Amino acid sequence: MALPTPTAVIGAFFTGEDRQAIEPVYRDLVYRELDGVLAAVPNHDLAIQWDCAVEFAVIETHAHPGGSTPWWTGDVWEGLVARAADAIDRVPTDVEVGVRLCYGDVSERHFVEPRDAANLTRFVNELTDATTRPITWIHLPVPIERDDDAYFAPLEELAIGDAELYLGLVHREDGVAGAARRIEAAGRHVEEFGVATECGIGRAPQDATADIFRTHVAVAAGR
């Protein structure tokens, strides 16, 4: 079961002082929904994924006019990490929990193109330190045009313990060949990882779904 973090929804759909007032109310509602799922599904049959996307809009643009500004006082990073860690720690330790980091996918476009994986790496490391329970898997996006060492080099600093790493380097536009180039580049900087699409398949054209699945299978088989 995938859920957007409360931060993602508050940051995307509300503005100004409304965010401060609505955040605790909405957060509690999401956690009640989570509790309902936990009560209905056996823990060994369940995995929860928290999706962090608006978090990176704040990280990348908050210092610029018109950017995604935080609604809390104090350090921007600390506020984002603490909120994500709180959501992760709401999941019992006998339920798998993952976190998917994202730079947005509106009409298959990011809200900003990451210069490299440095901010993703920093967020993951700080989040791993902040949680009280282990994270089962972590997903990081890889833009389609990035098969260069500069993008992947920051991943050498990842410190994720026993969590599984998945790189979202499968793109429908360039298929297996494109994924292979990105896998080769990533492999020079991180030893072990699984593969995924960059941002799921929910916003891909309807007639592209079958090809995306076939590509994903072919790429994964090569791993």
Side-chain angles (χ1 to χ4, degrees), residues 29-205:
L29 174 63
V30 171
Y31 289 169
R32 288 200 302 272
E33 291 290 322
L34 174 63
D35 290 341
V37 173
L38 291 167
V41 181
N43 285 11
H44 64 274
D45 286 335
L46 183 63
I48 300 295
Q49 176 173 279
W50 291 105
D51 291 348
C52 299
V54 174
E55 286 83 348
F56 284 88
V58 176
I59 286 170
E60 296 283 2
T61 71
H62 72 276
H64 306 294
S68 298
T69 57
W71 54 93
W72 58 90
T73 59
D75 184 78
V76 171
W77 280 84
E78 288 180 3
L80 291 170
V81 169
R83 285 163 167 79
D86 184 67
I88 290 169
D89 287 340
R90 291 285 303 192
V91 181
T93 55
D94 58 347
V95 175
E96 292 189 349
V97 65
V99 58
R100 184 181 71 90
L101 309 186
C102 183
Y103 271 76
D105 184 22
V106 178
S107 300
E108 296 187 284
R109 294 180 62 87
H110 298 142
F111 41 71
V112 62
E113 292 296 335
R115 292 185 301 274
D116 53 36
N119 282 338
L120 293 164
T121 299
R122 177 182 173 183
F123 192 88
V124 166
N125 290 349
E126 293 188 12
L127 185 60
T128 301
D129 288 340
T131 55
T132 60
R133 62 146 295 162
I135 300 172
T136 312
W137 75 86
I138 295 166
H139 170 282
L140 305 182
V142 180
I144 190 170
E145 67 276 6
R146 302 306 296 267
D147 56 9
D148 56 298
D149 289 299
Y151 183 81
F152 294 102
L155 299 182
E156 296 177 13
E157 304 301 321
L158 272 177
I160 59 175
D162 294 329
E164 299 173 359
L165 174 65
Y166 292 88
L167 298 181
L169 47 72
V170 177
H171 291 265
R172 67 178 181 83
E173 293 89 345
D174 61 4
V176 176
R181 291 196 305 273
R182 292 182 283 274
I183 288 171
E184 182 180 3
R188 293 193 288 268
H189 303 281
V190 60
E191 182 175 351
E192 186 174 347
F193 58 90
V195 297
T197 57
E198 185 185 35
C199 194
I201 60 174
R203 293 188 174 92

